[in-house]
Amino acid sequence: MTRLTPGAEAVLAAQSPGRPFEDMTAAEARAAFDRGWPELQEPAASGLADGPLPLSLAGRPALAWRGTGAPDAGAPVILYLHGGGWVVGSPASHAAICQRLAAATGAVVVCPDYRLAPEHPFPAAIEDALACLAALPGVAGELGVDPGRVLVAGDSAGGNLAAVAALASVRDPALPRVSAQLLFYPNTDATQGADSYTRFAEGFGLSAATMRWFRDQYVSHDRLEDWRVSPLLAERAMLAEAPAAFIALAEADILHDEGAAYADALGAAGAKVTCRTWHGELHGFLSHCRHSPAAFDAIAEAADWLRRLG
């Protein structure tokens, strides 16, 4: 039986026992999410040179943060794609993660406000993500970044978008080549058949029923095996070309097994991958920094991995 950390227990105790998202409209879910996330987060205390810097990226509003270790020119840039089941979330709700990532890596982290489902179903979110990726070289001077040092990162549904963007970057000459990807408890298989959907179906924060609702707002069932929805199902040859990946997983998470399977598939195809599971943690733990030390540990390990990658 999974034993939760004290931080994870505190998060479950702090979360409201109100209606689940699947019993709400998308607008109601967004309002409930926006009421809840400030109780779990706190801004980074140090390590930021400036930010947030508002900007427009491919016509989408975005926020950027510069870590204190980032040079004034030629800094690495991380395109961060926020989580929220493709339905909720925003750069504001994930600002604390972006701040800590910028501080730990000495990079400029850019988080765009991509279109959300169900008003904008698949492929709107990934189209926005790729358009923002393609637009980064055009704002390189404004941000003081090197268009040749582009990374992607994201959590949950944002991890899905980041994984897809990383794969797309090696095939599409219109995109800057992604040098590395940081995936935090990513969605990788929209068929939702992994065992962890049964082990952690209820009582561990994100439920299997809620995740089904998120998916069904985003994509029709006839597209579930499209690699742009389920990167785990991408052809081996495509996975073999994937940028080096750091994948952070939560043990008590319905998405755990598909994240681990994606790491295994990348490694089997010959891609460079490091996968780490945080035991006793819940889905979304990067956003639980008010309660969970793992929120800081995962960012620190990702930053260390990037430094070793060179």
Side-chain angles (χ1 to χ4, degrees):
M1 183 175 179
T2 299
R3 183 174 182 176
L4 297 181
T5 65
E9 294 278 12
V11 167
L12 290 179
Q15 289 178 332
S16 169
R19 285 189 300 156
F21 286 166
E22 60 267 27
D23 290 343
M24 302 182 189
T25 65
E28 289 170 337
R30 290 171 194 144
F33 180 79
D34 287 343
R35 287 193 300 270
W37 66 257
E39 299 299 319
L40 302 175
Q41 298 187 39
E42 54 191 15
S46 62
L48 294 175
D50 54 43
L53 171 67
L55 71 152
S56 177
L57 201 62
R60 301 300 305 169
L63 296 176
W65 294 263
R66 178 180 297 274
T68 54
D72 292 337
V77 59
I78 301 174
L79 181 69
Y80 193 91
L81 299 160
H82 69 78
W86 308 281
V87 176
V88 305
S90 65
S93 68
H94 286 65
I97 296 175
C98 293
Q99 290 167 2
R100 296 198 307 276
L101 187 60
T105 59
V108 175
V109 176
V110 179
C111 185
D113 195 6
Y114 59 83
R115 288 173 293 170
L116 298 176
E119 297 88 344
H120 304 284
F122 173 82
I126 188 58
E127 287 176 346
D128 286 354
L130 295 180
C132 289
L133 180 60
L136 283 176
V139 295
E142 177 183 354
L143 294 176
V145 300
D146 181 351
R149 302 174 69 193
V150 175
L151 300 84
V152 294
D155 62 291
S156 192
N160 167 272
L161 298 175
V164 172
L167 292 176
S169 78
V170 303
R171 295 288 181 92
D172 187 344
L175 298 174
R177 181 66 180 257
V178 169
S179 60
Q181 53 185 322
L182 307 175
L183 309 180
F184 302 101
Y185 34 86
N187 298 88
T188 66
D189 184 1
T191 65
Q192 298 186 353
D195 288 346
S196 50
Y197 272 88
T198 300
R199 295 199 309 276
F200 305 110
E202 295 183 358
F204 296 90
L206 179 64
S207 71
T210 297
M211 193 62 242
R212 283 194 299 272
W213 179 80
F214 278 138
R215 178 198 63 189
D216 292 347
Q217 303 306 298
Y218 177 57
V219 64
S220 59
H221 282 216
D222 63 331
R223 306 298 294 273
L224 297 185
E225 296 186 4
D226 188 316
W227 71 269
R228 297 172 298 162
V229 175
S230 299
L232 177 61
L233 306 182
E235 295 179 358
R236 183 186 177 98
M238 180 175 285
L239 295 177
E241 297 179 74
F246 177 87
I247 301 177
L249 306 176
E251 178 191 13
D253 179 7
I254 55 174
L255 301 188
H256 175 273
D257 288 7
E258 66 189 71
Y262 191 58
D264 288 345
L266 288 172
K272 186 171 185 176
V273 60
T274 294
C275 185
R276 165 95 149 80
T277 294
W278 267 261
H279 293 284
E281 291 296 338
L282 304 170
H283 183 83
F285 71 87
L286 257 67
S287 294
H288 304 162
C289 58
R290 185 163 289 180
H291 300 283
S292 178
F296 300 93
D297 294 343
I299 293 290
E301 287 203 20
D304 286 343
W305 176 83
L306 282 176
R307 282 189 283 272
R308 292 193 302 271
L309 192 64

